[in-house]
């Protein structure tokens, strides 16, 4: 199940693994939503017009999670919306400007709905909105809190090694530079349907192991970083005819998995996680390391954590999250 | 007219002034969209479910620009959507997961529509989607292209001085520190309706004149920058009870007007322009200048320009935009 279009990005790889742990419990195709009872709104996103709802069907004690998302207009649907079939109500009029509430015929105004039923407590937790916080990680907080947490958790990245070793997803590879120090594999992110380039999204995963994140980068990695930047852009130009000047090329901090990788997205696509506070442009990273070898070991790094994340709890315990104004 | 929810941010202040130049041409409140003919889709945003359409009404030669935007779900509307009144069509079924196209009754599935009629060529140009490009501005390109362009254009910022001198919008001021060197005025951005704090958006405008942008900042500005960071957060905590850890605090480069100001938005709100490639966290800016006095004079800065912007044309003429792969 893709969760694209939601603000709280959920790593696709983790979800894939989560699903294998769920006891298979086949349910029927729904004919209608007659008798569905909304229990709680778990989360909502007013920008993408999405809502995550916990509810129950009549005569059942099982939980359901329903994700409803308004669909984008198409050339076809817009003609149906802007037609005599639509009723409208004026809400404001000022000179040449008017605003209206309009109610098109249902066939032109589709909603995409995902039903998870029966849903486990884990599903409900996954889709429940969480407060988020901006954390300021000084070099000291990195070594005192973040690094011990990463080492203790020892997150599995076997799925990354499966890709690098061509055990999985080899048919999806767009480009490979096999050099062990500066090489990488470029492949489409699972969030991209590859139908159009407006929302192009690819990931470059480096062959070299042991680079956990931005924090580890220094001038010894400049050949790797420059290679990913140059050859990644060229491969995307060659394969998808999208110029490098049309791309946002960035690194996440914190990343969702601790093996070094770079995101390539189309400038037209506001990908989740492309905001200041998570995304660091690769060309800025190269510049900063050129300026100072230990830039990312000395820099205070800001990033956003959700309240239910393990790392957030560690920062919270240390009292290093909330601002205090004395 | 607010243009919130669209990807291409249009500065509110500029729009306000544009409107005063339009010849008043009152039109009637529309009763229906019967006979409306779509001429061209000017722009669309699949994430926010918005479309900008150029069209004509039957028996009229005048142009109309129609902005249609699907509305967010509300607690009330979601109960209407997830009910027996809704028809649904299954599109995928895998174990406990199912996806459906659903068609609720029109009353639960409103669309917000703005009609500009009659519309000028300027309106049509304003809403027409433009290709965007990532530009890499080295210090040399700044002095050779950007700075001469800014000086030649000599953009008016009288409206900013009106605010600082309390000639306009003084009733909107949330907080003021009147110090001429380190002081600032904090007020809500016009994009924020102030109804809820989830999309909180304020602007701090400094009293000191002559700081055009990020490029001008050096260690002499650290007291100003630290003051805006600390007192801005405190004023927002005091007034809106939103903690500093809940805020994204950043500077735009390029800014939309060349008088130094800082954006304060809620982390839950993906404000337009908060992406890497435009937004620079204020705390990063302070850190970088502490690291090196001339950081922003020496740094290559990446930013996104639309093809119809004057500055873009200057970069294009110099041949400094498109990547070349030889």
């Amino acid at each position: 199940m893709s969760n694209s279009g939601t603000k709280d990005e959920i790593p696709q790889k983790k979800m894939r693994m989560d699903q294998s742990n769920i006891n298979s419990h086949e349910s029927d195709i729904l004919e209608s939503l007659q008798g569905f009872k909304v229990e709680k709104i778990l989360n909502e996103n007013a920008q993408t017009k999405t809502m995550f709802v916990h509810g129950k069907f009549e005569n059942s004690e099982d939980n359901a999670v329903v994700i409803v998302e308004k669909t984008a207009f198409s050339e076809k649907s817009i003609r149906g919306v802007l037609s005599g079939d639509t009723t409208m109500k004026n809400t404001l009029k000022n000179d040449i400007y008017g605003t209206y509430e309009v109610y098109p015929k249902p066939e032109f105004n589709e909603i995409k709905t995902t039903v998870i039923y029966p849903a486990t407590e884990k599903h409900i937790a996954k889709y429940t909105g969480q407060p988020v916080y901006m954390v300021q990680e000084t070099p000291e907080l990195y070594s005192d809190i973040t690094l011990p947490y990463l080492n203790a958790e020892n997150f599995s990245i076997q799925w990354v090694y499966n890709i690098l070793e061509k055990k999985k997803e080899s048919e999806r590879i767009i480009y490979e530079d096999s050099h062990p120090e500066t090489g990488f594999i470029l492949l489409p992110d699972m969030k991209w349907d590859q139908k159009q380039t407006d929302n192009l999204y690819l990931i470059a995963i480096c062959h070299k192991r042991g680079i956990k994140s931005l924090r580890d980068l220094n001038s010894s990695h400049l050949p790797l970083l420059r290679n990913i930047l140059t050859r990644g852009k060229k491969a995307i130009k060659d394969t998808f005819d999208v110029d490098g000047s049309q791309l946002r090329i960035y690194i996440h901090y914190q990343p969702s998995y601790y093996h070094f990788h770079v995101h390539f997205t189309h400038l037209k696509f506001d990908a989740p996680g492309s905001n200041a506070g998570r995304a660091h442009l690769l060309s800025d990273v190269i510049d900063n390391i050129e300026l100072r070898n230990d830039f990312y070991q000395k820099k205070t790094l800001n990033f956003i954590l959700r309240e239910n994340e393990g790392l957030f709890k560690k920062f919270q315990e240390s009292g290093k999250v909330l601002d205090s104004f004395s």
Side-chain angles (χ1 to χ4, degrees), chain A residues 303-321:
Chain A
F303 52 85
I304 296 164
L305 288 177
R306 285 191 284 172
E307 198 169 71
N308 62 350
E309 289 183 81
L311 184 55
F312 177 80
K313 294 191 181 81
K314 297 290 175 192
F315 271 90
Q316 199 176 32
E317 284 162 20
S318 78
K320 299 292 184 189
V321 178

Side-chain angles (χ1 to χ4, degrees), chain A residues 246-266:
Chain A
Q246 302 282 285
L247 298 174
R248 184 178 276 116
I249 305 169
Y250 55 95
I251 297 163
H252 277 157
Y253 192 76
Q254 298 284 333
S256 56
Y257 50 94
Y258 292 86
H259 175 102
F260 187 68
H261 60 283
V262 175
H263 303 254
F264 290 73
T265 62
H266 199 290

Side-chain angles (χ1 to χ4, degrees), chain A residues 59-193:
Chain A
N59 305 323
S60 166
E61 274 311 296
D62 284 331
N63 289 308
V65 169
V66 181
I67 305 166
V68 284
E69 179 175 2
K70 297 210 175 179
T71 54
F73 293 102
S74 67
E75 178 122 20
K76 192 178 155 201
S77 72
I78 199 71
R79 289 172 196 276
V81 169
L82 301 178
S83 76
D85 289 335
T86 291
T87 65
M88 60 200 293
K89 189 182 143 197
N90 181 257
T91 45
L92 186 149
K93 190 77 184 76
N94 180 357
D95 195 63
I96 62 171
Y97 301 95
T99 61
Y100 299 85
E101 292 168 359
V102 313
Y103 303 95
K105 280 178 79 173
E107 63 201 272
F108 303 120
N109 206 9
E110 180 188 312
I111 292 174
K112 184 186 160 199
T113 303
T114 302
V115 179
I116 305 171
Y117 176 74
T120 64
E121 284 302 318
K122 240 174 131 174
H123 285 106
I124 294 169
K126 182 194 287 186
Y127 292 110
T128 298
Q130 288 290 324
V132 292
Y133 298 91
M134 185 74 84
V135 172
Q136 294 203 294
E137 184 197 70
T138 60
E140 294 69 36
L141 290 173
Y142 175 72
S143 44
D144 292 352
I145 296 179
T146 307
L147 189 58
Y149 172 76
L150 298 183
N151 289 335
E153 289 289 322
N154 194 19
F155 298 108
S156 169
I157 43 174
Q158 188 53 49
W159 67 269
V160 175
Y161 299 151
N162 288 343
I163 291 172
L164 295 174
E165 292 163 8
K166 314 277 176 68
K167 289 177 184 163
K168 298 276 183 186
E169 304 190 36
S170 60
E171 73 290 353
R172 303 180 71 242
I173 294 174
I174 299 294
Y175 174 80
E176 177 172 16
D177 173 339
S178 60
H179 193 285
E181 287 294 314
T182 61
F184 63 97
I185 279 179
L186 182 73
L187 75 180
D189 186 276
M190 294 193 72
K191 286 189 278 299
W192 184 32
D193 61 10

Side-chain angles (χ1 to χ4, degrees), chain A residues 19-38:
Chain A
Q19 286 170 31
S20 64
N21 297 330
I22 296 161
N23 290 327
S24 177
H25 189 141
E26 196 78 31
S27 66
D28 291 333
I29 288 172
L30 295 171
E31 305 272 318
S32 126
L33 288 163
Q34 186 79 48
F36 183 81
K37 193 168 152 279
V38 173

Side-chain angles (χ1 to χ4, degrees), chain A residues 236-290:
Chain A
I236 289 170
K237 175 79 175 168
D238 291 346
T239 314
F240 303 106
D241 196 28
V242 172
D243 192 80
S245 63
Q246 302 282 285
L247 298 174
R248 184 178 276 116
I249 305 169
Y250 55 95
I251 297 163
H252 277 157
Y253 192 76
Q254 298 284 333
S256 56
Y257 50 94
Y258 292 86
H259 175 102
F260 187 68
H261 60 283
V262 175
H263 303 254
F264 290 73
T265 62
H266 199 290
L267 285 185
K268 283 192 183 169
F269 177 43
D270 284 325
S274 65
N275 282 340
R278 180 123 199 243
H280 298 256
L281 293 182
L282 179 56
S283 58
D284 279 341
V285 170
I286 292 171
D287 265 15
N288 289 334
I289 295 172
E290 285 172 344

